Every structure is written in structure tokens, then in C-alpha cells.
């Protein structure tokens, strides 16, 4: 009975943060600063914060764009990508009219990182650069348990992304000249292809009403129980069906030898995680697949790997009087299949409060917007 009560207390404790961790509670950086460490342990060192501030200040002073870095403990069950996009648009990162902002968001205890690109730096080449920064700089740093290295590498890579963007280099070659994009960009009449009839499309941005706090807390309890059960299930002992020898679960480096290229790419993109259980006497590998609970990537209809990245381009901006239209491109990073569709967006709604505009004036952000482009990572 006591053991059962202990588990209940644990799950309740894990669920409690959902009552308090919201986008509204993340402190906006004062004017002239760009980094926020909202973790309980203040994980970012002074050296890391100083480098981020130097990089971001230089970008802003040169008029190239705005870079913000935010690190929190947890989003309390809310999808990290949704949380980060909401934060980006609430703060208005970037300059109005240029939409040249970039946000590096980290939920440390959730083991999630997000790059949110402003609409002005969200071309296909920018998306590819974002994916590279996430896969080659940010995620490896966190896997080494070096969050400061991960943040510094992320800030440096995103600085280069902004500097090299087509927004800041209008004379550069358009990203559409890439061979694979040209080869596969023929509109397809199937489910993934070009859609002539517009459908309603709503970017992932919303403010959760404070009245949902108790519901979120209950969801946190159930979510914590589900995550605990999933972890126990994943690590249950396995025996070889041939010789009966207990299998050994390989570490992340060793299991890559037993995964194909698509599976390794899924892991690096954070869309799927694989466990490999090895039987020494039989020299046999058992591969278990676990899809990420929250990911911005979707399954490719052609190669079937969860390696498709969606990007959007505004064709007509929504106003308070009429809706808009966006073009959504789905690109598979494994087989390079590309498809395009168009969607209608709802018209903008006026805020019932001017608090957001007054608080924005106290920071350096200039009113930029994002439709959700960028990259996701986990470790």
C-alpha cells in the first residue's frame, strides 16, 4: 500500500509543473539582451550568455536579424514546438516587415530543442541550414551532457544562417535551383500532392487560457504515468528466442551499426528512437522502434521513414479583413521526394488587450512573425 501511495505522490509531483509553466511566465529579456535562462539551476554559464549576447547584438546592430535563446526546465507536457512558436510570436522576435527573427528554444528536462525561423528567413536553404545546426551542433552537445556547448554551437550556426539567408543576400541563387528539388517538385495529384481546392490551415499558435491550469495538471499526472510506463516497458528484459540467452541493450553509438541509413536519420532528426538488443552467442540483433511523442516530422509516403519536413511560404498575408494563403512544401530528407500544396489561412483577430504591445516595447524585439518553420531535436 505504501509503495502504491509513493507512486501516486511521484506522479502528482511530476504533473504539478503543468499548473505553472506557461509561455506567459517566461520572462521577456530586457532591452539590449537576448538570452533567457529560466532553469532552476541556471544552467547557462556567464561565458555562454556573454557569447550569445555578443552574437545577437551584432546581428541586430547590423540590421540582419534578431536571435533569441531561451532555456527552460520543462514545458509541462505541452509540445515543445508549439510552446516555442507561441513564445516567438508573443514576443515578436525579428523586425516587423522583414520577419528576420530566429529563436533557439531548449526544454532541458524534456530533452527537446527547437529552432523557430521567422517567415523572412524560412526559405528551403534556410531550413536545410537549420536542420544542419540542430543535427551537427545542438543535439550532439546535449548528448555529451554539455548544454553550454550545445547553446554556443547553436548560436554560432544560427548567426551564419541569418547572415547567409536569401533575405540578406538578395543576389544569391534561389534555393529552387537545387537538383533534387527541381527533379521532384512536379505537383502530384495524390494525397501528398498539389491541392487546387484550398483548405483551412492554422499555424500552431495559441495561448492556453489560465482556466485550463487544473486540467493541464491532471493531464500532467496521466502523462507522467504514461511516460514512466513506457520507460519500464522499453527496458524490460529480453531473451533470445533461439538460445534463450538474455539479450543486452546496446548504447546509442553501438546500436547505429545495426540500423540502416533511414533509421539513423530518423534518430538524428528526433522523430524516432531505436533500441537494439544483442544476443552474443547467436550474434543476432533485435531492433525495437519507438516513435517520438511530439515531433514536427511526418512519414514519407515514398520511403516510409519519418523524415519529412514541412515548410510554408506566405503567398498572401492574412489581414483583419480577409484571410490569407500559404504554400506548404513537404520535403523528405531521406529519399528527397518533394510535394507542394496550398492552403487558406484564417483572417487575423484583434487582441482584447494592449498588454502585449506595451511589454514588447520594453524589449529589443521588433514585431517579427513565424509560421512555424525551423527544426526540432531530441537527445
Amino acid at each position: 500500500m505504501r509503495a502504491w501511495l509513493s507512486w501516486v505522490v511521484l506522479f502528482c509531483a511530476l504533473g504539478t509543473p503543468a499548473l505553472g509553466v506557461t509561455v506567459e511566465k517566461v520572462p521577456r529579456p530586457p532591452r539590449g539582451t537576448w538570452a533567457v535562462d529560466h532553469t532552476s539551476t541556471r544552467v547557462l554559464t556567464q561565458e555562454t550568455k556573454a557569447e550569445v549576447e555578443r552574437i545577437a547584438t551584432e546581428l541586430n546592430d547590423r540590421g540582419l536579424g534578431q536571435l533569441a535563446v531561451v532555456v527552460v526546465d520543462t514545458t509541462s507536457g505541452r509540445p515543445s514546438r508549439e510552446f516555442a512558436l507561441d513564445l516567438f510570436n508573443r514576443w515578436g522576435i525579428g523586425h516587423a516587415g522583414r520577419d528576420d527573427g530566429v529563436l533557439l528554444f531548449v526544454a532541458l528536462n524534456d530533452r527537446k530543442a527547437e529552432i523557430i525561423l521567422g517567415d523572412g528567413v524560412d526559405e528551403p536553404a534556410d531550413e536545410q541550414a537549420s536542420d544542419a545546426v540542430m543535427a551537427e551542433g545542438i543535439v550532439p552537445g546535449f548528448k555529451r551532457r554539455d548544454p553550454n556547448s550545445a547553446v554556443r554551437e547553436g548560436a554560432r550556426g544560427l548567426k551564419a544562417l541569418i547572415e547567409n539567408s536569401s533575405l540578406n543576400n538578395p543576389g544569391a541563387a534561389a534555393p529552387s535551383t537545387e537538383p533534387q528539388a527541381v527533379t521532384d517538385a512536379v505537383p502530384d495529384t495524390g494525397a501528398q500532392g498539389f491541392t487546387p481546392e484550398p483548405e483551412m490551415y492554422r499555424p500552431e499558435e495559441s495561448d492556453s487560457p489560465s482556466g485550463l491550469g487544473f486540467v493541464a495538471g491532471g493531464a500532467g499526472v496521466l502523462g507522467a504515468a504514461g511516460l514512466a510506463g513506457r520507460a519500464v516497458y522499453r527496458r524490460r528484459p529480453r531473451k533470445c528466442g533461439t538460445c534463450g540467452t538474455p539479450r543486452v541493450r546496446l548504447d546509442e553509438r553501438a546500436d547505429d551499426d545495426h540500423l540502416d541509413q533511414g533509421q539513423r536519420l530518423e534518430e538524428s532528426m528526433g522523430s524516432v528512437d531505436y533500441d537494439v538488443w544483442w544476443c552474443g552467442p547467436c550474434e543476432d540483433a533485435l531492433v525495437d522502434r519507438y516513435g517520438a511523442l511530439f515531433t514536427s516530422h511526418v512519414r514519407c509516403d515514398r520511403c516510409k521513414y519519418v523524415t519529412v519536413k514541412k515548410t510554408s511560404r506566405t503567398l498572401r498575408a492574412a489581414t483583419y479583413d480577409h484571410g490569407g494563403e500559404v504554400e506548404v512544401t513537404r520535403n523528405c530528407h531521406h529519399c528527397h521526394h518533394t510535394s507542394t500544396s496550398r492552403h487558406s489561412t484564417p483572417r487575423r483577430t484583434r487582441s482584447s488587450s494592449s498588454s502585449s504591445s506595451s511589454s514588447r516595447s520594453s524589449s529589443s524585439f521588433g514585431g517579427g512573425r513565424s509560421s512555424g518553420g525551423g527544426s526540432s531535436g531530441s537527445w
Side-chain angles (χ1 to χ4, degrees):
M1 182 67 177
R2 289 181 178 179
W4 182 84
L5 289 174
S6 298
W7 279 105
V8 171
V9 172
L10 174 62
F11 292 154
C12 289
L14 291 172
T16 300
L19 294 172
V21 180
T22 62
V23 170
E24 294 83 355
K25 288 187 178 294
V26 179
R28 190 186 302 264
R31 180 174 293 276
T33 62
W34 310 92
V36 174
D37 182 357
H38 197 49
T39 60
S40 57
T41 58
R42 297 298 184 263
V43 68
L44 296 185
T45 64
Q46 290 300 320
E47 292 77 12
T48 297
K49 289 191 289 187
E51 180 167 356
V52 170
E53 300 292 358
R54 177 185 62 77
I55 289 173
T57 299
E58 178 187 342
L59 286 171
N60 187 63
D61 290 348
R62 292 166 61 193
L64 298 179
Q66 294 187 334
L67 171 65
V69 174
V70 176
V71 185
V72 301
D73 286 320
T74 177
T75 60
S76 299
R78 186 177 182 184
S80 57
R81 185 127 199 105
E82 177 185 299
F83 191 104
L85 178 59
D86 194 358
L87 184 68
F88 184 109
N89 287 321
R90 182 177 180 83
W91 285 1
I93 301 171
H95 299 103
R98 279 174 53 89
D99 296 327
D100 52 8
V102 176
L103 169 65
L104 170 56
F105 175 82
V106 177
L108 198 61
N109 294 346
D110 300 336
R111 303 169 70 91
K112 297 287 185 182
E114 305 290 347
I115 294 174
I116 304 294
L117 300 177
D119 289 341
V121 288
D122 190 16
E123 295 297 324
D126 304 323
E127 288 280 348
Q128 292 173 8
S130 173
D131 290 344
V133 172
M134 180 65 75
E136 299 171 13
I138 298 173
V139 170
F142 283 114
K143 284 187 174 181
R144 295 193 305 268
R145 298 185 179 180
D146 188 353
N148 283 278
S149 171
V151 169
R152 288 195 301 270
E153 289 297 319
R156 294 166 188 164
L158 295 176
K159 174 178 181 287
L161 183 155
I162 294 174
E163 290 175 330
N164 298 326
S165 66
S166 58
L167 178 68
N168 291 316
N169 298 274
S176 59
T177 59
E178 295 179 11
Q180 290 170 343
V182 172
T183 301
D184 295 329
V186 178
D188 186 279
T189 56
Q192 287 278 40
F194 186 83
T195 305
E197 300 83 13
E199 61 186 57
M200 293 306 292
Y201 174 83
R202 290 178 171 80
E204 297 179 347
E205 52 175 284
S206 62
D207 287 331
S208 299
S210 58
L212 295 179
F214 291 104
V215 176
V221 174
L222 296 178
L227 290 174
R230 176 176 167 136
V232 171
Y233 177 78
R234 286 185 62 168
R235 287 162 177 75
R236 73 191 188 283
R238 268 76 153 183
K239 286 186 178 182
C240 177
T242 303
C243 67
T245 301
R247 292 180 178 269
V248 178
R249 182 172 177 266
L250 302 182
D251 59 30
E252 286 294 331
R253 287 187 177 181
D255 70 10
D256 284 350
D257 294 335
H258 304 279
L259 303 178
D260 61 34
Q261 181 182 8
Q263 292 170 329
R264 291 193 296 271
L265 182 58
E266 286 179 319
E267 282 205 327
S268 68
M269 296 178 73
S271 59
V272 178
D273 193 20
Y274 289 94
D275 289 343
V276 177
W277 296 81
W278 179 252
C279 174
C282 298
E283 295 188 348
D284 175 68
L286 172 67
V287 179
D288 287 342
R289 179 186 185 280
Y290 299 92
L293 296 179
F294 306 108
T295 179
S296 61
H297 303 93
V298 297
R299 185 182 300 276
C300 176
D301 283 348
R302 178 167 295 182
C303 69
K304 305 305 180 184
Y305 290 106
V306 186
T307 51
V308 172
K309 185 72 176 178
K310 295 194 298 184
T311 60
S312 62
R313 181 169 66 95
T314 300
L315 302 177
R316 185 179 66 163
T319 69
Y320 295 115
D321 300 318
H322 61 75
E325 186 178 23
V326 297
E327 181 181 78
V328 178
T329 300
R330 298 170 178 84
N331 178 50
C332 178
H333 288 236
H334 178 249
C335 70
H336 306 294
H337 173 60
T338 299
S339 63
T340 305
S341 58
R342 292 184 180 182
H343 307 269
S344 297
T345 59
R347 67 180 183 180
R348 299 179 62 184
T349 56
R350 300 184 186 276
S351 172
S352 59
S353 171
S354 59
S355 59
S356 60
S357 59
S358 62
S359 60
R360 181 176 296 163
S361 64
S362 64
S363 69
S364 298
F365 303 128
R369 295 283 299 174
S370 172
S371 298
S375 307
S376 300
S378 61
W379 59 93

